[in-house]
Amino acid sequence: MAAAGDGPWLDDAAGRLVRPFTVSNGRTRPTVELDLMSQVMATGATPLGYLGPEHAQALDLCRAPLPVAELAAHLRLPVAVTKVLLSDLVDCGALTTKPPASFHHNPTDRALLEAVLDGLRRQL
């Protein structure tokens, strides 16, 4: 029995009916370098060729910039599979990517680490 709005791809009892590796045609490596915090956004260009329903869903979600990790959560797919799908969309010009600036320049920035620690303390 399919969940409302999910079409034939999800089943209440069985979960995802299509295995993640089939979504990426068995590919495990994206053609574009993406990390979990890379921002992806639709360019407005129409992709040429066939794209699966997951590609279309990802493109729809990327109308506003989203990090790869959040997009994977929305798609309910492993991050590795999501990166392959996103790289397909980048390759055909339908998506653009932007690396997270602060993490690439200094991943051990003391101010950033202190802000994270303060946030964690507030949660406790």
Side-chain angles (χ1 to χ4, degrees), residues 63-82:
R63 286 180 277 167
L66 275 178
V68 171
E70 187 174 337
L71 193 57
H74 285 297
L75 295 173
R76 297 181 185 170
L77 289 171
V79 172
V81 173
T82 301

Side-chain angles (χ1 to χ4, degrees), residues 30-41:
T31 57
V32 176
E33 185 156 342
L34 297 166
D35 74 24
L36 292 175
M37 295 307 294
S38 294
Q39 298 284 314
V40 291
M41 184 172 173

Side-chain angles (χ1 to χ4, degrees), residues 6 19-20 26 58 60 63 65 67 71 77 88 92 97 114-116 118-119:
D6 289 325
R19 295 288 178 222
D60 186 51
R63 286 180 277 167
L71 193 57
L77 289 171
D88 291 345
C92 72
T97 67
E114 286 177 357
V116 170
D118 289 342

